[in-house]
């Protein structure tokens, strides 16, 4: 997208603790450790598969496979710090 658009309605039940932005994607982590990503998935940086030739997700989608407590993003990668197993 070339113009900003609101995405807050996707997070109405969760408090966002941290956000990070990559070259063409974004990532947010909730207070409970849920990770949401959106934007370009050209290199798999969103953490889930996109169907067919669709490589762009225009809304926050939860990464089902992991939970974390910190996130970082680079141009084409997303990193999450996972909670330690005590």
């Amino acid at each position: 997208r070339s113009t900003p658009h609101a995405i807050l309605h996707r997070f109405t039940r969760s408090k966002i603790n941290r956000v990070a932005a990559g070259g063409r994607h974004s990532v947010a982590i909730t207070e409970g450790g849920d990770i949401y990503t959106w934007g370009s998935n050209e290199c798999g940086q969103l953490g889930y598969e996109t169907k067919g030739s669709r490589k762009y997700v225009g809304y926050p989608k939860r990464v089902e496979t992991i939970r974390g407590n910190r996130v970082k993003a680079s141009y084409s990668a997303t990193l999450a710090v996972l909670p330690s197993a005590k």
Side-chain angles (χ1 to χ4, degrees), residues 21-26 40-43 45 72-78:
R24 295 178 56 205
H25 73 289
S26 300
S40 172
N41 199 30
E42 198 68 33
C43 300
Q45 63 266 44
K72 298 283 184 188
S74 69
Y75 185 78
S76 60
T78 302

Side-chain angles (χ1 to χ4, degrees), residues 12-43:
T12 56
R13 295 184 183 176
S14 304
K15 180 179 177 186
I16 301 300
N17 272 359
R18 298 175 188 265
V19 295
R24 295 178 56 205
H25 73 289
S26 300
V27 57
I29 190 164
T30 67
E31 189 174 58
D34 290 330
I35 299 171
Y36 290 84
T37 58
W38 65 98
S40 172
N41 199 30
E42 198 68 33
C43 300

Side-chain angles (χ1 to χ4, degrees), residues 49-60:
E49 286 188 55
T50 47
K51 304 256 184 204
S53 62
R54 186 169 183 231
K55 298 292 182 189
Y56 184 86
V57 177
Y59 56 90

